[in-house]
Amino acid sequence: MAMAIKSTLQCVVFLMALITTHLIPPADADAGSPKVAMASSGAGSSFRLVAHHDYALRDDGFLHVQSRLDDLLPSEANVTTLRPPVASPIDMAFSVVVGLGSGKGRHDYNLKLDASGSLMWLQCKPCNPKQPQRGPLFDPKASSTFQQVAGTSQICHPPYPMEPAGQQCAFHLSGEHGMSVHGFVALENLTMGPESMKEFVFGCAHSAEHFNSQRTFAGVAAMGKMPTSLVMQVAARGQTRFSYCLFSGGASRHGFLRFGADVPSRPGLRTTKILPALDAHESQYYVSLVGISLDAKRLTRIRPEMFARRRGGQGGCVIDPGTPLTVLAREAYRVVEDAVWSDLRRNRAERIQRQGYGLCVRKTAEIKRHLQSLSFHFAEETARLVVKPEELFTAVEGRLHGPALCFAMSPGERTVIGALQQVDTRFVYDLKDAKLSFASEPCSQDTAGVD
Ligand SMILES: *[C@@H]1O[C@H](CO)[C@@H](O)[C@H](O)[C@H]1NC(C)=O
Ligand SMILES: *[C@@H]1O[C@H](CO)[C@@H](O)[C@H](O)[C@H]1NC(C)=O
């Protein structure tokens, strides 16, 4: 891996030659997402990809999580604290390490991976309120390469999450669980590995409310389709493909978010198309999911309409490493849960309740042998994404009621293939040709020791 990074050094000069001052064009609100002029260069680069999991992977291959409620003794269980699950029952987050600034103002920041985000942002000095993060806050005054984006700039208006505020360009982002982030848009030197890219657009946040930083993240590495996202800015500099392979965690190793020539070639990649945006605000990578199989048997009650995309962000299917567990459109979830349960019941599983999950069974050696894999079928005949039992169930531990195996998906408004179900699959996004390719891979092989 180190060699792959080194080999990119020789490309830096070529890459710099490609950088122009107007990488991000003005948005054309009529025609889907604003387009980025993309020409592939021969360059490649890699960011470190870090797993932040609050559970350990045991030797049986399942992710082990502590039951949140089961652990309370009945006398301690205070009814007012027993809330229905609002978030996913596990925190499975990945971050990329990005260097920002120059001279004494340059530091590395862990930015949470978010497949749908439209603008990379991080907490800047001063930030009020701010959330705890690893390392110092980015200080614009300490970096000679920091530049404010002017309110008159071509990019300072919708569909970008920006608007002029006096001389400056302000941004506002909101998200799940009441997250609300405000600040100003700026340009800075961004480094990944040995390379640096100048005039990278990012949001310098001066207020970050309800941002779940997990005491680590300085902000968010937006990977969406908007030209102001991290991946589209790298793409505009000629590295139009990116790839990741989520590994099952552990603090001693990190993986890679790879771009351009650093994207490894793999045998057996299956390809599906990334659907064109329905409107200018759409930043996510929608794919055309048409069916689901359990153990290679197609579930006939699953209809493609269950995954149909509607305007205004309703329905559809996206792939998102920033969502811990897969969400299935409600109708489809019912069919899949029924099928998983009827199979487990045939194998004499004992159904038990665990908060945050629809289907759990008592974990026994016998049942572990009978778990099946699930496949997602995309519109193209051969594009089938297989999820192994180890990524389909989590092992939920609890002192009171003993260990359970829980089906790690939940019902929702639209289908999101989440991080756990992406573990040990290589994904390659081709932004120029709007294609997503994937293949099964032991992702820990593309990791390096943390130094
Ligand atoms: C239950 O928890 C709430 C909030 O933490 C507290 O105000 C209340 O006194 C508790 N009730 C009992 C019976 O412990
Ligand atoms: C900023 O990035 C550019 C382009 O890679 C590089 O030439 C320049 O030296 C960097 N500036 C500083 C102060 O690091």
Side-chain angles (χ1 to χ4, degrees):
M1 297 319 127
M3 278 179 53
I5 296 173
K6 273 189 204 120
S7 72
T8 65
L9 261 171
Q10 65 207 52
C11 300
V12 171
V13 176
F14 178 51
L15 178 71
M16 280 165 51
L18 282 166
I19 296 175
T20 66
T21 45
H22 296 292
L23 286 167
I24 297 176
D28 172 3
D30 301 329
S33 273
K35 301 288 183 294
V36 173
M38 281 191 229
S40 299
S41 76
S45 45
S46 301
F47 290 84
R48 275 180 281 157
L49 182 69
V50 183
H52 304 269
H53 304 154
D54 58 356
Y55 45 78
L57 183 69
R58 307 287 170 81
D59 50 15
D60 67 356
F62 289 91
L63 288 165
H64 287 250
V65 266
Q66 199 63 43
S67 166
R68 291 198 175 162
L69 272 186
D70 184 56
D71 246 24
L72 294 171
L73 295 171
S75 63
E76 297 168 30
N78 177 334
V79 183
T80 62
T81 63
L82 305 187
R83 270 163 291 158
V86 282
S88 162
I90 65 168
D91 277 331
M92 187 181 198
F94 290 86
S95 70
V96 291
V97 181
V98 168
L100 205 68
S102 49
K104 283 205 167 57
R106 187 203 168 285
H107 292 282
D108 280 344
Y109 299 93
N110 281 92
L111 304 182
K112 186 174 190 281
L113 201 59
D114 173 13
S116 58
S118 51
L119 177 68
M120 172 183 123
W121 64 267
L122 78 172
Q123 302 188 115
C124 284
K125 212 169 172 176
C127 189
N128 187 18
K130 66 169 185 282
Q131 306 305 326
Q133 68 177 56
R134 189 178 291 169
L137 278 189
F138 177 78
D139 183 0
K141 291 203 177 73
S143 175
S144 60
T145 40
F146 179 86
Q147 299 168 58
Q148 293 276 8
V149 165
T152 52
S153 159
Q154 288 182 321
I155 61 167
C156 195
H157 57 76
Y160 308 117
M162 308 171 190
E163 63 187 19
Q167 304 282 66
Q168 298 182 330
C169 176
F171 76 95
H172 309 280
L173 292 167
S174 52
E176 283 182 334
H177 314 305
M179 187 190 88
S180 174
V181 177
H182 309 278
F184 296 105
V185 184
L187 303 174
E188 212 3 315
N189 263 29
L190 177 127
T191 41
M192 47 175 163
E195 278 188 35
S196 91
M197 300 185 194
K198 66 175 183 184
E199 296 181 347
F200 217 84
V201 178
F202 76 107
C204 206
H206 294 293
S207 162
E209 262 180 290
H210 303 299
F211 165 53
N212 181 9
S213 68
Q214 296 186 17
R215 311 196 70 81
T216 302
F217 311 131
V220 167
M223 313 248 293
K225 272 164 114 175
M226 285 264 175
T228 46
S229 80
L230 184 146
V231 296
M232 292 302 272
Q233 290 189 69
V234 178
R237 288 159 168 86
Q239 299 176 36
T240 58
R241 294 193 312 147
F242 72 93
S243 175
Y244 59 80
C245 196
L246 301 183
F247 56 110
S248 47
S252 62
R253 303 192 72 75
H254 67 80
F256 297 94
L257 172 63
R258 298 187 177 283
F259 286 88
D262 274 17
V263 173
S265 50
R266 291 283 185 263
L269 282 173
R270 305 295 168 94
T271 300
T272 189
K273 61 179 178 302
I274 296 169
L275 302 175
L278 284 184
D279 64 60
H281 292 269
E282 185 178 300
S283 193
Q284 289 184 304
Y285 302 97
Y286 281 91
V287 287
S288 175
L289 179 62
V290 297
I292 294 177
S293 294
L294 256 190
D295 209 23
K297 280 191 296 291
R298 197 79 175 233
L299 299 176
T300 51
R301 284 162 62 208
I302 297 277
R303 288 170 289 110
E305 303 86 79
M306 293 175 177
F307 311 111
R309 189 167 53 142
R310 297 180 292 276
R311 276 184 196 276
Q314 299 285 300
C317 172
V318 298
I319 309 249
D320 183 9
T323 298
L325 301 183
T326 291
V327 177
L328 287 179
R330 252 167 247 291
E331 281 179 287
Y333 178 85
R334 261 182 252 121
V335 175
V336 175
E337 197 199 87
D338 277 0
V340 171
W341 169 234
S342 74
D343 175 69
L344 287 168
R345 192 175 45 194
R346 242 193 329 273
N347 289 297
R348 295 197 210 144
E350 179 194 350
R351 191 156 182 170
I352 51 181
Q353 301 285 327
R354 287 292 179 273
Q355 205 210 12
Y357 297 94
L359 170 63
C360 296
V361 296
R362 191 168 302 285
K363 185 179 171 212
T364 64
E366 176 71 7
I367 282 304
K368 274 198 315 196
R369 277 199 299 277
H370 283 114
L371 298 177
Q372 300 177 323
S373 56
L374 178 147
S375 307
F376 292 107
H377 299 270
F378 298 102
E380 299 77 4
E381 189 75 33
T382 59
R384 186 163 67 100
L385 173 65
V386 182
V387 182
K388 291 180 299 183
E390 290 81 0
E391 279 89 49
L392 201 55
F393 290 85
T394 51
V396 179
E397 311 280 350
R399 266 186 303 167
L400 207 56
H401 302 301
L405 282 170
C406 295
F407 178 56
M409 295 189 182
S410 63
E413 296 307 311
R414 60 172 187 160
T415 300
V416 182
I417 298 179
L420 179 61
Q421 283 73 34
Q422 294 180 46
V423 166
D424 284 342
T425 299
R426 154 99 33 208
F427 288 90
V428 180
Y429 291 71
D430 184 329
L431 300 171
K432 197 158 110 253
D433 293 340
K435 287 190 314 203
L436 173 65
S437 302
F438 51 86
S440 158
E441 176 178 329
C443 293
S444 58
Q445 286 180 4
D446 190 20
T447 60
V450 171
D451 35 53

